[in-house]
Amino acid sequence: MTVGELYNELNTAIPRALSCDWDNDGLMICADAEAPVKRVLLSLDATDTVCDYAIREGYDLIITHHPVIFRKIGNITDGSLAGGKAISLIRAGVSVMSFHTRFDCCDGGINDILAEKLGLENIEKLPHGTEAPMARIGNVDTTAVEFCERIKKALGSPVVLMTPASDKVHRVAVCGGDGRDFMYDALRMGADTYITGRAGYNVAIDMRDEGLTVIEAGHYYTEAIFTDYFEKFLSARGIPYGICPVGCEIKNI
């Protein structure tokens, strides 16, 4: 399978139409769409360390969640971060695909994975106006403290931040990463608890006063699970892959 063929399949499964208007993702760096895909590296971000690892270890494609090129690039030179990265990858014949907010929204994407890992039942999409639903909502029956322990175990997060409105958890909304935009949607759908990567102190305090317990499990930990989907997708097509062990680590000191 070529880079272009693989992207076309992924673009069908994770359509660009689901992306937020401000987003930028897709086939981001590619010198030859006809090049065969031999080894794929999965990583939350394409940091310099990740790119160096891919080149050194002989990968020809990197798939990320966060876009390798997000903001407008004024120039491509070896003196700029994005430009230098692109030049190095093109020289080495390494392509990059990124699937960002469309993967947050799609069936089987990050928020479905997150909801399932946390053991939610009767999972539904959380409506958000006329936009494609991104967050998910489901049911569970436990205490807030027990649920925090479940989150840490499921996501490998060493610590979570909880702003409790109640000591019980029954209806839970989830959104990986920075999901603060969907908290009032969660309240309207009867949620008593909201899990995201980062919300911020003021937002969490306000939501507590609205009756919503907010649990922040870390941007990295709520999105690093994105690899689950792509592992299955690549395995079904017999494409070798690896999960990058360096470059996106979050250290707790």
Side-chain angles (χ1 to χ4, degrees):
M1 181 176 289
T2 68
V3 174
E5 288 169 342
L6 178 59
Y7 178 69
N8 287 338
E9 286 200 20
L10 283 165
N11 196 43
T12 299
I14 313 171
R16 185 70 174 85
L18 296 176
S19 295
C20 294
D21 292 340
W22 47 262
D23 200 8
N24 181 54
D25 69 356
L27 184 55
M28 312 214 75
I29 296 175
C30 180
D32 181 7
E34 297 301 315
V37 177
K38 298 176 182 176
R39 295 182 73 206
V40 178
L41 184 65
L42 303 175
S43 177
L44 187 61
D45 292 88
T47 64
D48 277 352
T49 305
V50 171
C51 294
D52 290 344
Y53 179 87
I55 294 169
R56 184 174 67 251
E57 298 297 323
Y59 289 92
D60 43 62
L61 174 64
I62 304 171
I63 296 179
T64 71
H65 177 50
H66 294 138
V68 64
I69 300 171
F70 186 56
R71 296 175 180 84
K72 179 181 177 181
I73 297 178
N75 56 65
I76 299 178
T77 68
D78 59 5
S80 67
L81 179 60
K85 193 180 297 184
I87 291 169
S88 295
L89 291 168
I90 289 170
R91 281 176 174 165
V94 180
S95 300
V96 182
M97 300 175 190
S98 304
F99 298 90
H100 193 212
T101 53
R102 63 163 112 175
F103 189 63
D104 292 324
C105 296
C106 79
D107 292 340
I110 276 185
N111 290 307
D112 281 328
I113 296 169
L114 182 57
E116 290 168 7
K117 280 187 176 293
L118 299 184
L120 302 190
E121 298 178 347
N122 303 316
I123 300 167
E124 305 172 63
K125 295 178 181 178
L126 187 69
H128 184 63
T130 59
E131 296 180 10
M134 184 176 293
R136 302 295 192 257
I137 190 167
N139 302 326
V140 70
D141 187 16
T142 185
T143 68
V145 172
E146 289 171 346
F147 197 49
C148 285
E149 292 299 327
R150 180 189 296 191
I151 293 167
K152 289 194 290 183
K153 183 177 180 180
L155 304 183
S157 179
V159 65
V160 300
L161 303 176
M162 178 172 67
T163 310
S166 169
D167 61 355
K168 299 293 184 182
V169 176
H170 298 292
R171 190 147 172 81
V172 180
V174 301
C175 186
D178 186 343
R180 70 186 72 190
D181 292 346
F182 312 110
M183 291 184 179
Y184 281 106
D185 298 322
L187 281 169
R188 284 192 289 272
M189 291 289 288
D192 54 60
T193 304
Y194 191 89
I195 302 163
T196 189
R198 285 285 180 266
Y201 173 80
N202 292 323
V203 172
I205 290 295
D206 287 348
M207 288 297 102
R208 180 198 64 188
D209 291 345
E210 294 275 8
L212 187 69
T213 293
V214 177
I215 301 174
E216 300 173 80
H219 197 129
Y220 171 81
Y221 297 104
T222 56
E223 292 192 330
I225 56 176
F226 96 102
T227 57
D228 287 13
Y229 179 96
F230 291 95
E231 288 182 77
K232 294 175 184 175
F233 195 97
L234 295 170
S235 293
R237 288 153 182 80
I239 299 174
Y241 66 88
I243 298 174
C244 192
V246 296
C248 302
E249 308 94 325
I250 300 294
K251 295 184 179 180
N252 291 273
I253 308 297

